[in-house]
Amino acid sequence: MSAAISYRQALREAHREALAGDPRVLLMGEDVGCYGGSYAVSKGLLEQFGPERVRDTPLSELGFVGAGIGAALGGLRPIVEIMTVNFSLLALDPLVNTAAAFRHMSGGQFSVPLVVRMATGAGLQLGAQHSHSLENWFAHVPGLKVLAPATVEDARFMLAAALADPDPVVMFEHTGLYNLEAELNAAASEPFEAFQARVRRPGRHLSLVTYGGSLPRCLAAADTLAAEGLEAEVVDLRALRPLDAQCVLASVRRTGRAVMVDEGWRSGSLAAELSARIMEGAFYELDAPVQRVCSEEVPMPYARQLEQAALPLAPRIVAAAKSLFGADLP
Amino acid sequence: MIDIRLPALGADMEQATLLEWRVQPGDRVEKGDILAVVDTTKAAIDVETWHAGTVSALLAEPGQRLPVGAPLATLSPVDGDTAGAAPAAPASAGAGQAPAVDSPARPAAGAEPEPAPRGAGKGRRRVSPSARKLAAEMGVDLDALGREGRTNIGPAAVRAAAARQGTPVAAAAGKAVTAGRPAVSPAARRRAAQLGVDPERLSGSGPGASVVRADVEQAAGAAPPDTPADAPAARAPAQRTAAMRRTIAAAMTRSWREIPHYHLSEDVPLERATRWLEAFNAGRPVAQRVLMVALYLKAVALAARHFPEFNGHYSERGFEASSVVHLGVAIALRGGGLAAPALHGCADQPVPALMTALNDLVRRTRAGRLRGSELRDPTLTVSNLGERGVRALHGLVHPPQVALVGFGRVSQRAWVRDGWLGAAPVVTLTLAADHRVSDGHRGGLFLADIHDRLQAPESLAQLPLQADRDLQAPEQTP
C-alpha cells in the first residue's frame, strides 16, 4: 500500500494478519477486547475475531502472563499484551523463571512460544511509576528475545517474526511512536530480518546508536549536526537481545566515534553494554571515548519541563556528538 | 544575645500578623518551646524557639503585621550554649544548622540571622545545586566564598574561585590527560605506528586536545583532513620530503618484516590496446587523450572485484576483503619520494573520466594537496614504471594491503602468433602478493584475468553495468 499509515495501524494490521493466518494465535491482555486496547492497537479485532481469539483479562499481570505461558506450552501461540513495562514488574517471575528458563530446564523437550507486547517510555507526564524504560532488564535474561520496533515498517512486520520464534519474544512499543506515520513499501527491497540492526541514515563522522523512541530524536539530532557539517550515522538496533553488535561495530570502525542514546537510566543500561562491546571490538578504531546520552538518574518527574529535561532529547544528543570533537569540527 | 526573627513558615509567606505571645520576659525556654502565635494568610501558626535561654525582650505587639525576618524578641543564651553574636549551627539542632546554605528560600524557623553562619557579609548565602557539584569536583571551598560576602553562588563564581585558587581547571574543562602522557586515541596510535610517526609529540585536535587519527595523518606529511574548505597546512618542502621518507621507510620496513611475499609475472601483448588508444586519441586535444595507464587501472580494478583475496587489508585480526576497489596509484614525486593515493571509483568510471581523475590526482599529489581518504583508502596498489622504466617491476606490498600489481615498460618484442614469429608491443605484468592471504594459483588467475581484459579494450573502456558482462572470452590475437 502506498498511503501513509500510523505505527498503531501497522501493529493492528500485523495482529489481523496473525489472527487470520494461524488459528493458534490469540491476543490477551487488559482492555484489548471491548475497549480496543489502551493504545487502540487492537481496536476492531474483537468484533472481527470473537472473544476466543481476543481476550480481556483480569487486572493481574502475574495471573494472565502465567496463563499465557500455559497456553503457549499447551500449543497455542498467544500474544500477551501487558499494558506498559511499568506493570510487567508484577509478572517478572513467570517471564524470567518460567518462560525464559523452560527450554533449558526441560533439556530442550519443550519451549514457550510466547509473544509479550508492552508499551514503554516516558514523555506523557505520567509520573515516576508509569514512565519506565526497562528494556535492558529483559535484554539481560538468556532465554528471552527482545525487539524494539521504531518504525512503521518494523511495527508491521516484527510481530510475525516474533510469533514464528519458538521461544519467548518481548516486543517494546514506545508510547511516543504510536502516532508515527509513514508509507509502507508494498514490495520490500530486501527480505525482512527482525533480529538485525539497521543503518537508518549513513554518515562518516560519528555513529549515533539507539533504539525505540529515541530513534526520531537521533534523526532530528543528525539533521541539526548536518547543518553544521557533522555527518552522523544513525544506527537503529531494532533487536535488543540478541544485540547486532556486528552492525554497530562496522559503523564505529568506519566513523571512529560513537554516541549511544538510550532512554533507560545510564547505570547498567543497554548503552553501557554497547559501550563495552564497542571497546572490545573496535578499540583501535576509536578516536574518542564512547559517549552515552541517557535519562537523568532520577525517578521520572511529573512536571513537564522537568520530564523534558530528564529525557535524552535531541539537544543533548547534539551536544554529546559535538563533545567527541575538538575545537575544530572536521 | 540571640535575635528571634519572624521565620518564613511557608514557601510563599512574606508577612504575618502577631496574634499573641506565649512567653514573657524572664521566662526560661527550651528548644522547641512555643514563643508566639502568628497569623499567616492561611492559618495561625506557632513559632518555636531553636535555642534554649531566657526571654530577654519582646519586640513586637500583638496585632502588628510584620514582614518575614522582622525581629520578634531577644533571648539571652544559657551558659554553655555556643551561640554568640553570630550563632553558628547549634550542635544538635536539626533544621537549625547552616540554614542559609541549604535552603535558599527559607530560613529555619526560630530565626538564624541572615548572615552566613561564619558571620561575615550580609545576606543569606545561596548556592545552586550545579555550583555545589562543581565546587566538590573542583575542590572549591564554598565557605571561603561565603566569607567573601557572596550571596548567590552559581557555577561561574565557583569556576572563578577555582581559577584563583589555582585548582587545575583541567578536570572541569575535560582536558584529556592520562597519567602524565598526552592523550592519543587508539585509532591515532595505530595509524602512527603504521606511518612511523610519534603521536605523543603532536598537538591534538580531538576532544580535550587529544591526538586523533587525522592529526597523525597530517603530521605524516602528506595531507590535510578531508574537508574541501580547509586549506592544506603549509609545510616547507624539505620538511615534507624528510617526513615522507620516514613514512616510506617505516612502511617498507614493516612490509619486508611482516609480509611473506611471492612474486609472479606475465607478458601481456598490447597490440589491440595500442591500436584502440591510437584510434581514440586521434583528433583529440592533448588534454583529453587517454594513456595506456588508464587501461591498466581499469583492467586491474575490474579484475580485483573477482579476486577479493588481493583487495583488502590485513590486520591483527586477519584479512578483511574490501567490498569496493580503491586502487592506490603509485606516483613518483619530484625531489624523490613516492605516494600511492587512492583513485576512487576506478571500476565504475569510463576510461576517459578515469584518465581525467588520474591527471588530477597526480597533480594534487605532486602539490601535496591530498585528502585523508585518499591516503587511507587504498585496498590494492598499481605501480606503472612507464616509458623510462625497466622491463619488470618486482615490488613490495604496501601494508596493510596484500598485493601490488606492477607494469613495466611497453616494448616491441619478438612474439609468436599462429606459429609465425613477429613483433608486438608487450608489457610485463607482475604481482607481488601476501602469501598469508593468497597463493600462486589464485595469483596466476588474477594476472590472467587482467591479461584478458587488456585484450578487449573496447569493452574495457565502457561503463560496466554488471561485472560479469566484462568477463568476455578472450579473443585470439590475430
Side-chain angles (χ1 to χ4, degrees):
Chain A
M1 53 182 114
S2 55
I5 61 166
S6 69
Y7 183 101
R8 171 187 289 114
Q9 284 169 312
L11 279 169
R12 189 177 309 141
E13 201 41 52
H15 280 81
R16 204 169 269 136
E17 179 186 70
L19 287 161
D22 186 344
R24 302 172 300 173
V25 171
L26 69 130
L27 172 65
M28 52 192 288
E30 292 160 7
D31 292 330
V32 298
C34 296
Y35 190 71
S38 49
Y39 294 95
V41 169
S42 49
K43 198 160 166 190
L45 294 183
L46 172 65
E47 289 79 359
Q48 188 175 350
F49 294 98
E52 294 276 302
R53 310 290 301 285
V54 181
R55 295 176 177 243
D56 282 319
T57 62
L59 214 166
S60 167
E61 282 73 14
L62 179 62
F64 67 74
V65 168
I69 291 171
L73 283 166
L76 296 179
R77 291 287 188 270
I79 303 168
V80 173
E81 179 180 300
I82 302 181
M83 198 182 290
T84 73
V85 68
N86 306 290
F87 311 126
S88 72
L89 305 185
L90 297 157
L92 270 181
D93 177 72
L95 283 170
V96 173
N97 286 322
T98 304
F102 264 23
R103 180 183 280 283
H104 166 83
M105 290 172 70
S106 71
Q109 290 180 71
F110 46 87
S111 67
V112 181
L114 174 71
V115 173
V116 177
R117 286 178 41 244
M118 308 189 218
T120 181
L124 299 177
Q125 284 192 266
L126 294 180
Q129 297 172 326
H130 291 62
S131 304
H132 293 311
S133 285
L134 296 174
E135 289 87 329
N136 60 324
W137 287 20
F138 296 85
H140 184 65
V141 178
L144 290 182
K145 294 198 177 88
V146 180
L147 290 172
T151 60
V152 172
E153 183 193 32
D154 283 347
R156 176 65 183 87
F157 297 113
M158 271 186 172
L159 183 65
L163 282 165
D165 200 297
D167 289 308
V169 178
V170 181
M171 212 163 90
F172 286 96
E173 300 153 15
H174 194 283
T175 50
L177 294 174
Y178 283 120
N179 290 323
L180 183 69
E181 288 203 356
E183 283 184 16
L184 268 185
N185 297 329
S189 52
E190 337 166 305
F192 184 82
E193 279 290 341
F195 292 94
Q196 271 177 11
R198 197 162 286 174
V199 174
R200 295 292 183 194
R201 178 185 172 131
R204 56 201 171 101
H205 293 132
L206 70 136
S207 303
L208 292 178
V209 184
T210 189
Y211 66 92
S214 292
L215 177 63
R217 299 164 185 156
C218 284
L219 291 170
D223 283 337
T224 306
L225 290 167
E228 300 186 33
L230 266 182
E231 293 172 27
E233 179 153 289
V234 179
V235 180
D236 178 7
L237 289 169
R238 300 176 71 236
L240 305 181
R241 185 174 182 107
L243 274 173
D244 185 359
Q246 283 313 310
C247 178
V248 176
L249 286 174
S251 173
V252 176
R253 285 184 188 133
R254 273 197 300 277
T255 63
R257 292 172 162 93
V259 177
M260 325 298 313
V261 182
D262 181 350
E263 199 177 303
W265 294 299
R266 247 169 107 78
S267 311
S269 57
L270 278 166
E273 170 65 23
L274 276 159
S275 226
R277 296 209 195 186
I278 289 173
M279 191 273 301
E280 288 163 357
F283 181 76
Y284 294 100
E285 279 88 351
L286 286 175
D287 244 343
V290 173
Q291 293 287 314
R292 292 182 282 167
V293 182
C294 301
S295 286
E296 293 293 348
E297 208 98 336
V298 291
M300 193 58 62
Y302 160 76
R304 180 175 161 73
Q305 75 277 24
L306 292 179
E307 186 183 37
Q308 296 287 300
L311 289 171
L313 302 181
R316 274 213 279 141
I317 301 171
V318 169
K322 286 188 183 170
S323 76
L324 294 174
F325 298 91
D328 314 308
L329 302 180
Chain B
M1 192 63 66
I2 302 170
D3 291 328
I4 310 288
R5 292 174 184 270
L6 179 64
L9 298 162
D12 51 357
M13 177 181 150
E14 288 172 15
Q15 57 185 0
T17 304
L18 177 63
L19 287 180
E20 58 170 309
W21 283 109
R22 291 285 181 84
V23 295
Q24 309 173 29
D27 283 352
R28 179 69 209 279
V29 292
E30 300 299 325
K31 287 187 197 115
D33 286 351
I34 297 171
L35 298 175
V37 184
V38 301
D39 188 19
T40 66
T41 50
K42 296 182 184 152
I45 301 188
D46 297 332
V47 175
E48 304 159 290
T49 171
W50 291 102
H51 297 283
T54 307
V55 177
S56 177
L58 302 179
L59 304 174
E61 301 282 336
Q64 195 176 345
R65 180 170 297 166
L66 302 157
V68 165
L72 286 177
T74 51
L75 212 62
S76 62
V78 170
D79 295 305
D81 191 328
T82 55
S92 52
Q97 68 183 335
V101 176
D102 286 306
S103 34
R106 188 185 328 188
E112 290 305 318
E114 288 90 11
R118 297 290 186 275
K122 295 199 167 96
R124 193 168 307 109
R125 188 183 83 194
R126 301 173 190 184
V127 184
S128 74
S130 58
R132 185 182 308 287
K133 187 172 162 194
L134 205 54
E137 281 169 11
M138 300 177 82
V140 169
D141 182 1
L142 286 172
D143 291 332
L145 272 180
R147 274 196 288 277
E148 291 167 17
R150 303 199 120 264
T151 49
N152 289 314
I153 299 175
V158 172
R159 282 204 197 91
R164 284 196 306 276
Q165 258 171 227
T167 313
V169 189
K175 169 114 182 72
V177 175
T178 51
R181 293 199 300 186
V184 178
S185 80
R189 255 188 216 288
R190 179 199 240 178
R191 194 80 184 111
Q194 286 172 356
L195 295 177
V197 171
D198 180 1
E200 295 184 8
R201 289 190 298 124
L202 304 178
S203 62
S205 69
S210 57
V211 174
V212 293
R213 184 164 65 186
D215 298 325
V216 169
E217 284 171 348
Q218 189 164 2
D226 192 355
T227 43
D230 280 359
R235 237 180 208 87
Q239 266 184 316
R240 206 189 309 147
T241 310
M244 184 174 302
R245 264 292 139 214
R246 277 199 302 275
T247 306
I248 295 171
M252 293 297 102
T253 305
R254 183 173 156 212
S255 173
W256 190 255
R257 186 180 62 230
E258 290 180 6
I259 302 180
H261 284 69
Y262 69 92
H263 296 276
L264 297 175
S265 71
E266 170 74 332
D267 289 333
V268 181
L270 290 178
E271 247 170 341
R272 310 187 102 220
T274 309
R275 258 188 268 134
W276 184 89
L277 278 177
E278 278 166 9
F280 181 89
N281 289 332
R284 278 198 163 76
V286 173
Q288 284 177 28
R289 290 185 195 162
V290 171
L291 300 178
M292 188 65 79
V293 65
L295 292 178
Y296 292 163
L297 293 175
K298 186 82 175 159
V300 174
L302 290 173
R305 276 189 178 165
H306 293 272
F307 291 87
E309 60 266 65
F310 299 99
N311 182 62
H313 289 164
Y314 194 93
S315 68
E316 44 298 302
R317 276 190 307 272
F319 177 64
E320 205 175 298
S322 169
S323 53
V324 288
V325 178
H326 291 306
L327 285 188
V329 182
I331 297 171
L333 303 172
R334 305 203 172 100
L338 182 69
L343 186 64
H344 288 113
C346 275
D348 300 316
Q349 295 183 68
V351 160
L354 202 133
M355 190 70 217
T356 308
L358 178 64
N359 286 333
D360 173 66
L361 184 67
V362 170
R363 196 174 30 79
R364 279 190 295 110
T365 303
R366 292 188 171 143
R369 295 183 65 107
L370 286 172
R371 302 185 193 120
S373 64
E374 287 167 335
L375 288 178
R376 211 169 26 239
D377 288 348
T379 52
L380 165 64
T381 297
V382 175
S383 187
N384 173 37
L385 293 179
E387 270 101 71
R388 283 172 297 165
V390 296
R391 189 187 178 97
L393 163 66
H394 301 289
L396 284 182
V397 174
H398 197 290
Q401 296 165 42
V402 295
L404 172 75
V405 176
F407 289 88
R409 187 182 70 238
V410 180
S411 55
Q412 288 285 328
R413 300 195 211 164
W415 196 255
V416 176
R417 283 164 294 192
D418 297 330
W420 291 99
L421 185 63
V426 176
V427 71
T428 298
L429 162 67
T430 52
L431 173 70
D434 188 332
H435 220 321
R436 296 172 294 184
V437 181
S438 64
D439 56 53
H441 176 66
R442 289 294 289 172
L445 292 175
F446 180 44
L447 289 187
D449 192 292
I450 299 170
H451 168 288
D452 293 344
R453 289 178 194 276
L454 286 169
Q455 306 313 309
E458 322 73 32
S459 51
L460 193 59
Q462 287 162 3
L463 231 192
L465 293 174
Q466 285 187 28
D468 290 340
R469 281 204 209 154
D470 298 296
L471 252 186
Q472 297 177 3
E475 294 173 40
Q476 295 296 322
T477 56

